[in-house]
């Protein structure tokens, strides 16, 4: 015996899905999160400048 032949496509088989315009993808959100975290990360302060470089330049 054979199964009955469907008369048409199923309700979800061949429907076109509307694109999600204006909605960021998960990959884009993850990239933005990494960039924002890097922006907010604490950095080590630069070494204090005692003026040694300026004095060395003047003595040349």
């Amino acid at each position: 015996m054979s199964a009955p032949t469907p008369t048409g496509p199923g309700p979800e088989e061949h429907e076109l899905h509307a694109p999600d315009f204006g909605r960021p993808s998960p990959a884009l959100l993850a990239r933005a999160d990494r960039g924002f975290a890097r922006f907010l990360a604490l950095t080590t302060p630069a070494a204090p400048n005692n003026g040694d470089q300026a004095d060395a330049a003047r003595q040349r």
Side-chain angles (χ1 to χ4, degrees):
M1 287 194 175
S2 63
T5 306
T7 58
E12 296 181 21
E13 288 181 24
H14 298 288
E15 289 184 13
L16 294 175
H17 296 284
D20 291 334
F21 289 118
R23 176 179 263 181
S25 69
L28 183 63
L29 290 175
R31 183 177 176 198
D33 285 343
R34 286 192 307 270
F36 192 59
R38 193 172 65 194
F39 174 73
L40 293 177
L42 296 175
T43 58
T44 57
N49 186 359
N50 296 335
D52 294 338
Q53 293 175 348
D55 291 338
R58 276 191 232 130
Q59 292 177 0
R60 287 187 188 174

